[in-house]
Amino acid sequence: MNKSLLFANIQRALKVNFIPAICLQVIALGIGLSYFYWPASLPVFNFFGHLKAQHGASYAVVSTAFFGGLLPYLYLLSTGQISFKPKSQLVFYCCLWAMMGWLVDTFYGLQITLFGNDTDIATLIKKTAFDQFVFSALLTCPFLTLSYQFKDAQFSLKDFLQTLDSRLLLLYLPTTIVTNWLVWIPAVLLIYLMPPVLQIPLFNLVLCFFVLVLAMLNSDPKVTSAPI
């Protein structure tokens, strides 16, 4: 594998994602600050917190399918970026992110079990490190990369299996891991500052924009068809 090409793709991912990541952090920060310092926003937070408390994992599944699946799909469809099997892609986006909603909600519960529910600096660092360098880096990022590869192979198992070579590393590192860290390291710090019932709602809002970035990057021919 061409190491110079690998590092070039990493540099490109950093450059391409920097401004979108900053925008996402501003959005997440604005939402987080409004909860703590803008009393007029509390009814909205209380509404979503009540839904999460009432419906638990079901809320996480449905809301993540909506924010991570349906809304990005509708945007991509309306801008002409869904170029094949639109119905299959709709099912793909909604089912993938419904499953991810359940997984993330379960993981947030595990974080409370492991590290408690305090919001001191030490606890936030532990949760963020475990989230980004274990859970995300070793589980969700590889899984999402493979899932999007399968989607981009037009749901053909044969074509998908042909992509499972060294080129996947050139896609996986720059477009998923680097993008994930740029967006989510600051975002999860804010998420873990929130009460447990508001962590999934905030996750969903950041996720909606993150999925758009992920989808557009993974469909970029400069990365996916890079020579070895």
Side-chain angles (χ1 to χ4, degrees):
M1 182 175 60
N2 190 329
K3 291 184 179 180
S4 63
L5 181 58
L6 173 61
F7 287 113
N9 275 342
I10 292 174
Q11 288 180 326
R12 175 186 168 277
L14 288 169
K15 180 179 179 180
V16 169
N17 284 291
F18 182 75
I19 293 179
I22 293 297
C23 292
L24 288 173
Q25 304 320 322
V26 170
I27 293 170
L29 181 61
I31 294 170
L33 290 177
S34 67
Y35 172 76
F36 291 105
Y37 299 107
W38 187 29
S41 68
L42 289 180
V44 177
F45 286 102
N46 290 337
F47 172 77
F48 286 104
H50 177 72
L51 285 178
K52 178 62 175 70
Q54 184 177 10
H55 298 288
S58 297
Y59 172 84
V61 169
V62 173
S63 65
T64 307
F66 178 76
F67 284 100
L70 182 60
L71 286 183
Y73 170 83
L74 292 176
Y75 172 80
L76 294 172
L77 182 67
S78 66
T79 55
Q81 298 182 61
I82 302 293
S83 59
F84 60 89
K85 299 182 179 179
K87 293 181 181 178
S88 296
Q89 289 205 52
L90 173 60
V91 173
F92 166 82
Y93 276 106
C94 291
C95 290
L96 173 66
W97 289 105
M99 182 172 59
M100 291 298 297
W102 171 83
L103 182 62
V104 170
D105 185 58
T106 302
F107 177 72
Y108 286 172
L110 175 63
Q111 290 273 63
I112 293 174
T113 300
L114 292 176
F115 304 114
N117 199 31
D118 294 331
T119 55
D120 58 279
I121 294 178
T123 301
L124 292 176
I125 291 175
K126 290 176 185 177
K127 287 184 175 182
T128 300
F130 188 55
D131 186 312
Q132 291 299 293
F133 300 108
V134 179
F135 176 66
S136 295
L138 301 181
L139 178 60
T140 60
C141 285
F143 175 71
L144 289 173
T145 298
L146 292 173
S147 297
Y148 275 84
Q149 282 287 95
F150 179 63
K151 185 264 295 181
D152 290 339
Q154 300 191 25
F155 308 106
S156 166
L157 181 60
K158 179 181 177 180
D159 292 343
F160 166 69
L161 291 175
Q162 291 177 350
T163 69
L164 300 183
D165 54 25
S166 58
R167 286 175 296 178
L168 191 61
L169 184 60
L170 292 173
L171 171 66
Y172 169 60
L173 280 176
T175 63
T176 309
I177 287 288
V178 174
T179 301
N180 187 83
W181 286 341
L182 281 172
V183 171
W184 288 105
I185 287 179
V188 296
L189 278 169
L190 286 169
I191 288 171
Y192 290 129
L193 273 172
M194 305 294 280
V197 293
L198 292 176
Q199 290 177 0
I200 285 293
L202 181 55
F203 163 78
N204 288 156
L205 292 175
V206 179
L207 173 68
C208 184
F209 298 96
F210 173 72
V211 172
L212 290 174
V213 173
L214 187 67
M216 288 185 285
L217 284 175
N218 276 339
S219 64
D220 191 332
K222 291 181 181 179
V223 177
T224 58
S225 62
I228 303 301

